[in-house]
């Protein structure tokens, strides 16, 4: 008899369904002098000033697919991993981490780290070093971001003032995908593939097309004060961390300032990560279909055992 390998997830997938949960896109901000990561609601209300604490000049932030938050400790040369409750569950250290700044995950779950030794290192989802020099030939690399093809973009600081592009295999595609920047820090792609760059030196955010064409040298500028980290929410609003201003500015898709986070919870904020939006809760119709799938799963399981 042919062996039937079953799982509930497979049975659901067979009819185009999956188990889903609901959750808000809370905003997480690393405080470089406070040595904390603060958590805010989507509306900008402080939820927890010390979601993560005991850090060492925290910089880049990134969520993995399970919702764990990774924090780059620039001074300690480590990466801390926190679960969704803010509990420290792992620390990455060793030869692949040197004054880390920006962090980013690729589609396969590998973690990439922009290091102070002008290289980008790559780690497996379990935190094992894959290569200490996935990308090199950089200058004070800061922000990292992946496009829809899986290419990695790296912001080079105040000497080069460029963004380099690397293939998913670490090959340099171009050392100056965009240039003419002013001490670039954070990077972020919007849903249409445009690249946004925080210019720490002239208090602007520039927008470039997917081909590197300058679309707007000052997409955002109002209220900025040495901007560093960038992050988009699911509605297309852009959040910008102002290192000196001790604020986080929210801009709509037109570049208009619509909200400013300030006050308690912010202490030299540098990078931002927005909790991945979960799939909306299933409707009544979906729940009925889910029940039918479970019945089908149980029937096939009995068939297998018989």
């Amino acid at each position: 008899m042919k062996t039937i390998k079953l799982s509930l997830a497979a049975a659901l997938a067979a009819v185009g369904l999956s188990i889903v949960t609901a959750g808000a896109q809370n905003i997480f901000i690393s405080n470089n002098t406070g040595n904390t990561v603060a958590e805010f609601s989507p509306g900008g209300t402080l939820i927890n000033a010390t979601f993560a604490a005991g850090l060492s000049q925290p910089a880049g932030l990134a969520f993995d697919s399970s919702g764990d938050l990774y924090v780059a400790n620039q001074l300690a040369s480590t990466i801390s991993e926190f679960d969704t409750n803010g509990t420290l569950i792992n620390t990455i250290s060793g030869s692949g981490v040197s004054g880390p700044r920006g962090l980013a995950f690729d589609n396969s779950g590998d973690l990439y780290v922009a290091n102070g030794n002008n290289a980008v290192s790559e780690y497996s989802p379990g935190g094992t070093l894959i290569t200490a020099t996935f990308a090199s030939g950089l200058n004070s690399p800061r922000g990292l971001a992946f496009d829809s093809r899986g290419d990695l973009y790296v912001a080079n600081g105040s000497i080069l003032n460029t963004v380099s592009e690397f293939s998913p295999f670490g090959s340099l595609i171009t050392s100056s995908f965009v240039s003419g920047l002013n001490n670039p820090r954070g990077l972020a792609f919007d849903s249409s593939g445009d690249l946004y760059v925080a210019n720490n030196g002239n208090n602007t955010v520039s927008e470039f097309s997917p081909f590197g064409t300058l679309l707007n040298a000052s997409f955002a500028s109002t209220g900025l004060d040495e901007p560093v980290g960038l992050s988009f929410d699911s509605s297309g609003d852009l959040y910008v961390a102002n290192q000196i201003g001790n604020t986080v500015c929210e801009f709509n898709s037109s570049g208009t300032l619509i909200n400013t986070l300030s006050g308690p919870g912010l202490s030299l904020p540098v990078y931002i990560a927005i909790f991945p939006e979960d799939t909306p809760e299933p409707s009544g119709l979906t729940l009925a279909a889910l029940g039918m799938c479970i019945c089908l799963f149980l029937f096939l399981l009995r068939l297998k055992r018989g």
Side-chain angles (χ1 to χ4, degrees):
M1 175 183 285
K2 183 178 180 181
T3 301
I4 304 174
K5 294 184 178 180
L6 295 173
S7 69
L8 179 56
L12 294 175
V15 291
L17 294 175
S18 61
I19 299 174
V20 293
T21 58
Q25 283 198 293
N26 288 344
I27 304 157
F28 294 77
I29 301 163
S30 59
N31 291 296
N32 199 249
T33 57
N35 292 322
T36 60
V37 172
E39 178 184 7
F40 291 80
S41 73
T45 301
L46 178 63
I47 296 174
N48 190 345
T50 55
F51 172 83
L55 303 169
S56 180
Q57 286 190 8
L61 303 175
F63 282 102
D64 67 12
S65 59
S66 67
D68 288 348
L69 178 65
Y70 290 69
V71 185
N73 293 291
Q74 189 172 351
L75 186 60
S77 288
T78 61
I79 308 293
S80 299
E81 178 186 359
F82 296 86
D83 67 15
T84 54
N85 296 314
T87 301
L88 178 66
I89 57 176
N90 190 26
T91 300
I92 300 172
S93 60
S95 61
V97 189
S98 176
R101 284 94 172 241
L103 302 178
F105 282 94
D106 65 13
N107 287 333
S108 65
D110 287 351
L111 174 66
Y112 296 76
V113 183
N115 288 294
N117 62 358
N118 295 326
V120 173
S121 54
E122 178 187 5
Y123 290 83
S124 72
T128 301
L129 180 64
I130 296 175
T131 174
T133 54
F134 174 84
S136 58
L138 306 167
N139 178 258
S140 189
R142 304 282 182 165
L144 302 178
F146 283 95
D147 67 12
S148 59
R149 300 184 302 269
D151 289 351
L152 176 65
Y153 295 75
V154 185
N156 294 292
S158 58
I159 294 178
L160 295 180
N161 288 312
T162 61
V163 173
S164 300
E165 179 186 5
F166 295 85
S167 77
F169 306 102
S171 301
L172 178 65
I173 296 175
T174 173
S175 60
S176 56
F177 175 78
V178 297
S179 58
L181 303 169
N182 195 321
N183 195 12
R185 298 292 182 93
L187 303 178
F189 283 96
D190 67 13
S191 59
S192 65
D194 289 349
L195 175 65
Y196 294 74
V197 184
N199 293 291
N200 187 264
N202 65 0
N203 297 322
T204 62
V205 174
S206 302
E207 178 188 5
F208 296 85
S209 77
F211 306 102
T213 302
L214 179 63
L215 300 177
N216 193 337
S218 56
F219 168 83
S221 59
T222 304
L224 300 182
D225 192 355
E226 294 198 13
V228 180
L230 303 178
S231 188
F232 280 98
D233 66 15
S234 61
S235 67
D237 289 348
L238 176 65
Y239 291 77
V240 185
N242 294 293
Q243 184 174 11
I244 299 302
N246 275 327
T247 60
V248 172
C249 293
E250 178 185 2
F251 298 87
N252 65 17
S253 58
S254 300
T256 302
L257 178 65
I258 58 175
N259 192 22
T260 301
L261 283 63
S262 61
L266 298 178
S267 178
L268 217 66
V270 281
Y271 285 85
I272 304 173
I274 296 179
F275 191 83
E277 184 181 44
D278 294 331
T279 307
E281 290 188 26
S283 65
L285 181 60
T286 303
L287 288 172
L290 178 60
M292 293 177 62
C293 288
I294 293 174
C295 290
L296 175 61
F297 168 75
L298 294 174
F299 171 76
L300 292 175
L301 186 60
R302 288 184 61 189
L303 182 64
K304 174 188 175 184
R305 291 176 177 173

